[in-house]
Amino acid sequence: MIEVVGLGRVFQRRSGLLRLTSAETVAVGDVSFEIAPGELFGLLGPNGAGKTTTIKMLVTLLLPTSGSARVAGFDVVASPHEVRKRVGYVFGGDRGLYERLTGLDNLRYFAELYGVDPRDQRARIGELLELVGLTGREREKVEAYSRGMRQRLHIARGLLHDPPVLFLDEPTIGIDPVGARELRTAITGLRSTGKTILLTTHYMREADELCDRVAVIRRGEIVAQGTPASLKSLTGGGDQVLEVTVANADAETIERVGGLRGVGAAWVEEKADGPVVMIRIEPGADVIADVVAALQDARIERVTTREATLEDAYVELVSRE
Amino acid sequence: MSQRPGRARRAAAGLHVVFVIWRIHVKLYLASPFEGFLNIVWPLFFAAMAFLIDDATGNHVIMRYTLFGIAAMGVWSSVAVSGSSLLQHARWGGMLELIVAAPRSFSLILASMTLALETTAVFSFAATLIMARYLFGIPVRIDDPALFIVAVVLTMIAMGMFGFVLAVSAVRYRSAWVIGNVLEYPGWILCGFLVPLALLPAWAHPVSDVLAPTWGIEAMRAAAGGQSPWTGLLICGALAVAYVCAGVLIARAVVQSARVHATLALS
């Protein structure tokens, strides 16, 4: 349903009035992936990795500077109009809705923009309000909506023309846990209706729960892709992770820990109760004593072990030099 | 023969799009307390200006010439300033990308938005005349009301289409909205709202000639004075069509260019 081959986008920035200077920024270098019909595919990566730029090329808002992409059988450069008829684009945050209008007026407006037959609009809007749980609230102005409600309205907007492909760009950003859970339920519901979905998110638990496959993008290039389980195994699936809360941790110490026998990788995460050294232990290895010895100067406060998660795999993948 | 129902259906669908977008945008403008405040203050300001001219000259012939021009000044300001900043607001609100990414014609959507803007500006035109008449006691004489209304409606549509051309440029250039501010006051003079075009230097005449309000206001004055407004109406209508054609062509080019240069979003 989506085929992306060597897609790239370079931004040129010009500045100066008399002496024009030009600088190039590679937002997306060389991205390739395929998404099958009905699949929910996650594109994961840190801020500035190129996720949104990739999506914008796929929904025809940006022209690629290299490579090619086809969505629902149509080339995004040669047939943008055909692509637009077949995709829904939903992004996170507060923008993209008319605040002073009601939710219903917003949906009516976009129903026209997306070419929904006027005779079908009322029924379609009713169905979507039901799907996203906004029935009964549609006559309130959007400015009175909570962020979660706005996001669900965004999803309803993106689905008005019943597109087979849906792009969700960080849809749960800034939403409280209850709202995010409701939204995840709505996304799961969409997958069950056969929609092909490309989702970007910063929340690994969300990606693990929702996505059939994920790709990790770093500095404009895909560094790994596969099922969440295969990604975990790529970085040592089934491994244990040792979490050591310390008072301080310098780079040299972490490097020393990372080089210990039986340690797959080591990195530091800043948490509420201080820096935590995360150590992925290879299967069967017993490294706790060596790690404790290596971190003696870092003043250990707590040591816990747990199963490796997608987040561990993600952090390791995006942190690799 | 078999294509006719298809064409008719497409035309009806197109009109429905224009109507719905127009209606929702009018609703949007009316929902803004600030816009509402301006809709009262601006006509009051222009009506007061008419009163001061009337009071200073004591000449009803001059007043009759300038009154409709003064009423149209608010409409021009709305076209120039609001029209050119229309898409900048859409960009700030994250709507521009959604409008461009929609399957409907971008030109059709934008033209409907500028028409909605014009509709609220018509209120300014009417309110100025009403305030001038009933608040300041300035006589408003219209000999041929039917043709006068035709002239007003056509001028408003033509101005809306001029606003469409101005608005389109903001798709590609984020700072293009300042064009409207630059055009606001010169437009009042160049369209002959306040002073006869004959008083302007020769180089300004071609510029005035390609501005539809010049001809629209001439048609209004002719209809109000019992003369034939048809020359003004025809040229105003022809310029409106020319603006639409130019706007559609420019829109295609700038949307493509915006996709190349990534100017649809804020950053």
Side-chain angles (χ1 to χ4, degrees):
Chain A
M1 188 59 92
I2 300 175
E3 301 162 48
V4 179
V5 182
L7 200 66
R9 172 73 208 200
V10 177
F11 290 111
Q12 280 198 322
R13 298 276 179 235
R14 289 198 173 88
S15 58
L17 196 63
L18 296 175
R19 292 185 66 182
L20 274 178
T21 54
S22 178
E24 285 192 348
T25 308
V26 181
V28 176
D30 180 4
V31 164
S32 300
F33 58 84
E34 280 188 21
I35 307 177
E39 191 176 19
L40 204 164
F41 186 85
L43 194 56
L44 316 176
N47 289 331
K51 304 184 297 292
T52 299
T53 305
T54 302
I55 284 192
K56 284 187 179 179
M57 287 190 277
L58 296 179
V59 298
T60 77
L61 286 172
L62 277 178
L63 283 176
T65 45
S66 60
S68 64
R70 293 177 77 80
V71 176
F74 293 94
D75 188 278
V76 294
V77 176
S79 312
H81 187 68
E82 295 303 322
V83 173
R84 287 170 192 166
K85 284 197 279 190
R86 291 165 177 82
V87 303
Y89 173 40
V90 175
F91 47 81
D94 289 333
R95 298 161 70 240
L97 293 166
Y98 286 120
E99 297 265 321
R100 293 199 301 265
L101 295 180
T102 63
L104 184 61
D105 275 339
N106 270 279
L107 292 179
R108 279 180 182 151
Y109 179 74
F110 282 104
E112 285 299 330
L113 262 59
Y114 294 147
V116 180
D117 191 316
R119 289 166 298 188
D120 302 334
Q121 283 180 12
R122 187 186 292 262
R124 182 70 186 146
I125 289 171
E127 280 169 29
L128 290 171
L129 287 168
E130 193 70 41
L131 178 77
V132 299
L134 286 176
T135 304
R137 308 293 299 270
E138 69 272 21
R139 292 188 189 277
E140 292 174 28
K141 286 190 176 178
V142 171
E143 61 193 3
Y145 280 18
S146 69
R147 191 170 264 190
M149 287 166 71
R150 284 166 200 236
Q151 207 51 47
R152 282 182 277 148
L153 185 63
H154 264 305
I155 289 187
R157 175 191 54 70
L159 289 168
L160 276 164
H161 52 314
D162 198 15
V165 183
L166 195 60
F167 292 92
L168 304 174
D169 192 4
E170 298 183 19
T172 53
I173 196 159
I175 299 180
D176 64 74
V178 175
R181 180 176 290 183
E182 286 171 358
L183 207 61
R184 284 199 295 273
T185 306
I187 294 169
T188 307
L190 290 175
R191 185 174 53 175
S192 65
T193 63
K195 302 277 180 209
T196 304
I197 302 171
L198 193 158
L199 167 81
T200 74
T201 180
H202 283 300
Y203 308 120
M204 295 306 120
R205 197 170 290 179
E206 185 171 282
D208 204 357
E209 178 187 331
L210 293 174
C211 298
D212 300 312
R213 285 190 309 129
V214 293
V216 177
I217 184 169
R218 187 189 62 164
R219 294 182 201 149
E221 300 202 352
I222 302 268
V223 291
Q225 62 178 306
T227 62
S230 72
L231 240 65
K232 286 180 220 169
S233 69
L234 202 68
T235 56
D239 292 2
Q240 293 277 310
V241 171
L242 190 64
E243 291 188 358
V244 186
T245 307
V246 294
N248 57 68
D250 58 67
E252 198 183 321
T253 308
I254 302 309
E255 201 176 320
R256 196 164 60 240
V257 172
L260 290 173
R261 195 186 177 115
V263 170
W267 65 94
V268 179
E269 287 183 14
E270 289 297 331
K271 298 206 170 172
D273 47 356
V276 180
V277 183
M278 317 292 280
I279 299 139
R280 182 167 56 74
I281 310 168
E282 289 171 356
D286 182 6
V287 298
I288 293 180
D290 293 341
V291 167
V292 169
L295 289 173
Q296 205 165 21
D297 294 340
R299 301 219 314 269
I300 295 172
E301 292 172 3
R302 192 168 60 243
V303 179
T304 54
T305 55
R306 59 168 175 78
E307 292 291 320
T309 64
L310 183 62
E311 185 166 309
D312 297 316
Y314 168 81
V315 171
E316 196 181 328
L317 284 165
V318 298
S319 308
R320 279 179 186 168
E321 283 304 318
Chain B
M1 283 294 282
S2 61
Q3 286 183 336
R4 278 189 183 167
R7 278 186 194 161
R9 222 179 5 251
R10 277 202 298 276
L15 281 175
H16 192 267
V17 176
V18 172
F19 173 71
V20 172
I21 295 173
W22 169 84
R23 185 175 60 82
I24 286 181
H25 274 273
V26 167
K27 213 171 174 179
L28 194 62
Y29 299 133
L30 296 179
S32 160
F34 184 67
E35 297 275 347
F37 174 73
L38 286 183
N39 275 335
I40 293 169
V41 168
W42 273 86
L44 189 63
F45 167 76
F46 289 122
M49 187 197 285
F51 171 74
L52 291 172
I53 291 172
D54 190 45
D55 194 46
T57 61
N59 186 332
H60 287 320
V61 177
I62 293 176
M63 193 61 250
R64 195 167 181 178
Y65 183 87
T66 52
L67 183 60
F68 300 120
I70 286 171
M73 282 164 66
V75 184
W76 173 262
S77 293
S78 172
V79 165
V81 179
S82 307
S84 55
S85 58
L86 191 65
L87 287 186
Q88 186 62 3
H89 285 292
R91 180 181 278 119
W92 286 333
M95 300 300 282
L96 183 56
E97 289 188 309
L98 294 176
I99 292 170
V100 171
R104 285 282 189 210
S105 155
F106 176 72
S107 298
L108 191 67
I109 298 167
L110 185 55
S112 311
M113 289 163 73
T114 50
L115 274 180
L117 198 63
E118 277 309 289
T119 307
T120 54
V122 169
F123 171 81
S124 165
F125 183 87
T128 302
L129 293 183
I130 291 166
M131 286 181 189
R133 173 70 186 88
Y134 294 104
L135 216 58
F136 297 105
I138 300 167
V140 181
R141 199 183 125 194
I142 298 168
D143 289 343
D144 192 336
L147 280 178
F148 179 80
I149 290 170
V150 171
V152 170
V153 171
L154 189 63
T155 308
M156 298 305 148
I157 292 172
M159 282 189 178
M161 293 308 101
F162 186 72
F164 165 52
V165 176
L166 285 181
V168 156
S169 55
V171 175
R172 170 64 182 87
Y173 301 101
R174 293 191 184 104
S175 303
W177 61 272
V178 295
I179 294 171
N181 290 36
V182 173
L183 287 178
E184 185 179 10
Y185 302 139
W188 289 354
I189 303 297
L190 287 167
C191 293
F193 291 155
L194 287 172
V195 292
L197 296 175
L199 296 179
L200 301 183
W203 62 262
H205 289 184
V207 182
S208 297
D209 287 347
V210 295
L211 294 172
T214 304
W215 302 98
I217 204 76
E218 190 177 298
M220 279 186 224
R221 283 171 181 147
Q227 296 161 333
S228 170
W230 289 108
T231 306
L233 286 176
L234 286 173
I235 298 176
C236 183
L239 283 170
V241 173
Y243 293 159
V244 171
C245 297
V248 169
L249 291 174
I250 296 169
R252 279 187 198 153
V254 293
V255 167
Q256 184 70 359
S257 179
R259 291 175 68 208
V260 172
H261 294 94
T263 58
L264 292 171
L266 271 179
S267 57

